[in-house]
Amino acid sequence: MKLWGGRFKEEISDKFFVFSSSIKFDFRLAEYDIIVNRAWAKMLERIDLLSQKELIRITKALDEVQEDLQKKRLRPEESSEDIHSLIEERLFTYAGSVSKKLPVGRSRNELISTEVRLYLRDVVDEFVMKIKNLQRKILAKATENAKIFMPYFTHLQPATPGTVGHFLLSYFWKLERDKKFFKFVKEEANSMPLGSGAVGGTTIPIDTEFLMRELGFSKICENSVDATSERDFIIYFLEACANLQVHLCLISEDFVIFSTPAFDFLELPEAFSTGSSLMPQKKNPDFFELVRGKTAKIIAGLDALLLLLKGIPSGYNRDLQEDKIHLFGIIDEVNSILELFPNVFSEIRFKESNMKKLIEKGEICAQSLAEYLAMKGVPFRCAHEIVGRIIRDNETLKRKMQDLTLDVLKSYSEFFTADVIPLLSPEGILEQLQTPSSPQSLSFEAQLRSAYAAVEE
Ligand code: ARG
């Protein structure tokens, strides 16, 4: 059944029909098409375009279509052009000719946009829930590893000492921003296009306020030309996904590096690692590599949407149908990543002694020694120079920073006194950190409290 056969003398080419049909991918919107049809039928009865009896008939038929969907008796038939025509067809089977009254005053252009918005609202809720789940796992692991020291890096070179707990909280705040972004996306998707017609409204007195309430939208789109063709809410959603993925890639990259025998900071769970068919010793971090790999598709999908939109004029154009191919593909990938990530994450075990070894090797108390001298009145650039010299001599004399005695330190600057000794160990340095975002233990506890509060919001 075609929804537009009247003006055509010739039949559509079979191959072109298959080429143009979207049922293969928009079938996933079936449930939302039924929801919109229910609301639409109720609205038509309110404006006297359906009698009460007709409404009951249509509603009952929609129940049957829904049951077909649940029992998998409704399938993406090849003979359907899209989800709207498939449901319309099935509705006709159950309600007969009265169903032909239903599509009055509306176009598939506004329908598809409405249904994608409804669907995206649910997807966003699901994603936010899953991000929260990952955040909770991060908080648990950060609490468990609050006192485990590790070196922090810049340029992947040892920089200053910190704790695993504080380091893991850095992931938490990235995800917190992702959550906010997704909530913004939901708000953007929460405008209702119905009433816009194909592009310029309708002469039928559609009760848009009623539809808005019935479908749980928070507002009605302002302009019919814009409403039927804009896809900004999809762009925002894909941007939020791309951003989230970039964050998950960073975590993945950290764990891939930290799990190599060269670092050996952590043990990856066997259940989420793979071996080599040739080299029996291998334990590879494939999960994290695949998160990185799949991100290519996700960022490419965002690009695809932008490219799709950049070349079309105002009003609906069929190009827009392709938006869903990218959108749905990305939703499935991100969803499966968000499903697995928390499980893999919570199985990671950190290796305290290996991290400690690198702390000692990396001379990472240098900054605090220079700051110590600065606090004693040595201009910072001079203090930096003095500590630089100590490091240089350590290298040539094969000494280690933590083995330096007060006498040796004094030979570099008279400002070194006994209270410098704690600054030769990560414990001592951490306790002397002064700023609220630092890994100092009280600061960390405060950060942890606000993170717990944020995740329960
Ligand atoms: N399958 C179409 C899409 O996804 C629905 C809208 C069709 N509109 C039209 N004028 N052919 O965009």
Side-chain angles (χ1 to χ4, degrees):
M1 183 175 92
K2 271 193 289 313
L3 307 181
W4 40 264
R7 62 97 64 221
F8 286 84
K9 287 199 224 72
E10 281 180 34
E11 272 302 311
I12 188 168
S13 133
D14 289 347
K15 283 199 173 142
F16 173 57
F17 185 78
V18 173
F19 176 77
S20 66
S21 159
S22 55
I23 193 67
K24 311 170 267 297
F25 48 89
D26 64 17
F27 183 76
R28 78 164 73 189
L29 296 173
E31 194 187 321
Y32 298 92
D33 195 78
I34 296 171
I35 291 174
V36 173
N37 273 316
R38 282 187 196 283
W40 195 262
K42 275 195 198 171
M43 184 277 297
L44 289 183
E45 193 264 340
R46 283 168 70 90
I47 62 168
D48 295 329
L49 280 181
L50 282 182
S51 70
Q52 220 171 27
K53 249 175 82 189
E54 287 170 330
L55 172 62
I56 291 170
R57 181 110 202 248
I58 289 180
T59 308
K60 246 192 85 215
L62 282 168
D63 291 343
E64 285 174 284
V65 178
Q66 190 158 12
E67 206 184 308
D68 281 356
L69 180 66
Q70 274 152 9
K71 304 226 160 108
K72 304 214 178 326
R73 291 191 301 247
L74 186 73
R75 290 172 186 285
E77 312 282 354
E78 272 206 1
S79 55
S80 295
E81 189 179 333
D82 56 28
I83 188 58
H84 321 296
S85 43
L86 178 71
I87 301 277
E88 206 171 313
E89 229 169 76
R90 190 59 64 96
L91 202 56
F92 180 74
T93 314
Y94 291 126
S97 58
V98 65
S99 69
K100 295 192 178 232
K101 289 188 166 189
L102 192 62
V104 65
R106 76 180 192 200
S107 132
R108 285 180 293 163
N109 301 351
E110 52 186 336
L111 269 189
I112 192 66
S113 176
T114 304
E115 290 164 18
V116 173
R117 286 163 196 258
L118 289 174
Y119 168 66
L120 261 194
R121 284 193 327 200
D122 289 349
V123 171
V124 167
D125 285 347
E126 177 85 23
F127 278 16
V128 166
M129 217 180 67
K130 288 185 168 147
I131 293 173
K132 274 190 182 179
N133 183 28
L134 176 55
Q135 283 182 306
R136 288 199 187 94
K137 297 274 178 345
I138 292 175
L139 289 181
K141 194 128 303 262
T143 311
E144 185 187 311
N145 290 281
K147 300 218 152 50
I148 308 295
F149 295 105
M150 72 176 280
Y152 290 176
F153 299 87
T154 65
H155 314 269
L156 209 51
Q157 304 286 333
T160 59
T163 62
V164 173
H166 176 262
F167 184 79
L168 293 181
L169 279 193
S170 72
Y171 300 156
F172 177 93
W173 294 109
K174 291 176 202 303
L175 295 170
E176 190 58 21
R177 290 190 294 277
D178 290 326
K179 238 169 54 188
K180 272 201 198 127
F181 199 165
F182 276 113
K183 287 179 181 170
F184 160 77
V185 173
K186 188 173 172 188
E187 246 174 76
E188 286 298 308
N190 220 356
S191 285
M192 186 192 72
L194 295 177
S196 296
V199 62
T202 168
T203 56
I204 309 289
I206 298 303
D207 186 344
T208 47
E209 285 292 328
F210 174 80
L211 287 172
M212 177 186 80
R213 282 197 305 276
E214 199 67 13
L215 295 170
F217 281 107
S218 61
K219 48 189 182 299
I220 299 167
C221 295
E222 301 280 352
N223 178 289
S224 62
V225 182
D226 184 41
T228 45
S229 55
E230 70 102 344
R231 295 293 185 265
D232 290 355
F233 62 101
I234 298 185
I235 298 282
Y236 300 150
F237 175 80
L238 297 181
E239 280 169 347
C241 288
N243 227 52
L244 166 71
Q245 281 302 130
V246 168
H247 291 151
L248 296 180
C249 278
L250 177 133
I251 303 177
S252 299
E253 181 62 13
D254 278 351
F255 289 173
V256 167
I257 292 173
F258 291 164
S259 70
T260 63
F263 272 80
D264 206 13
F265 278 11
L266 50 83
E267 192 68 45
L268 296 175
E270 289 202 356
F272 299 101
S273 306
T274 59
S276 157
S277 55
L278 178 60
M279 301 161 286
Q281 85 282 13
K282 291 299 285 292
K283 178 176 165 194
N284 296 327
D286 292 34
F287 171 74
F288 293 114
E289 290 170 335
L290 284 168
V291 171
R292 277 191 327 221
K294 285 171 189 287
T295 299
K297 174 176 166 185
I298 293 156
I299 294 176
L302 167 62
D303 281 354
L305 244 280
L306 291 167
L307 288 169
L308 190 70
L309 291 168
K310 75 150 187 61
I312 55 174
S314 281
Y316 178 85
N317 295 271
R318 194 65 179 273
D319 319 40
L320 291 174
Q321 175 169 293
E322 300 286 303
D323 62 356
K324 286 170 285 302
I325 297 179
H326 306 289
L327 175 65
F328 295 163
I330 288 175
I331 288 173
D332 292 345
E333 289 293 7
V334 176
N335 192 43
S336 64
I337 290 171
L338 282 177
E339 191 88 39
L340 276 177
F341 213 102
N343 300 341
V344 187
F345 182 88
S346 55
E347 295 287 318
I348 303 250
R349 298 276 160 263
F350 289 90
K351 297 181 171 175
E352 190 173 2
S353 62
N354 292 347
M355 292 189 283
K356 192 105 191 222
K357 264 185 231 148
L358 193 62
I359 291 182
E360 286 164 6
K361 211 166 135 196
E363 308 282 48
I364 65 183
C365 39
Q367 179 193 326
S368 22
L369 283 192
E371 287 174 351
Y372 169 92
L373 291 176
M375 287 301 287
K376 293 266 168 121
V378 182
F380 184 71
R381 281 287 156 255
C382 306
H384 191 289
E385 174 76 31
I386 294 168
V387 179
R389 241 177 306 139
I390 301 178
I391 304 280
R392 202 173 60 202
D393 292 348
N394 283 356
E395 252 172 46
T396 35
L397 298 171
K398 308 247 172 304
R399 293 187 307 212
K400 278 189 181 168
M401 199 67 123
Q402 67 271 17
D403 299 333
L404 297 182
T405 60
L406 186 55
D407 285 345
V408 174
L409 286 168
K410 269 189 183 300
S411 68
Y412 289 91
S413 167
E414 64 201 274
F415 288 96
F416 282 122
T417 52
D419 56 348
V420 71
I421 299 302
L423 290 179
L424 297 176
S425 75
E427 294 87 339
I429 296 172
L430 251 68
E431 276 327 289
Q432 293 197 34
L433 294 172
Q434 301 293 324
T435 45
S437 60
S438 74
Q440 194 274 338
S441 62
L442 292 178
S443 303
F444 169 73
E445 274 166 32
Q447 292 160 30
L448 201 57
R449 276 196 301 279
S450 63
Y452 271 107
V455 81
E456 294 315 333
E457 242 175 39

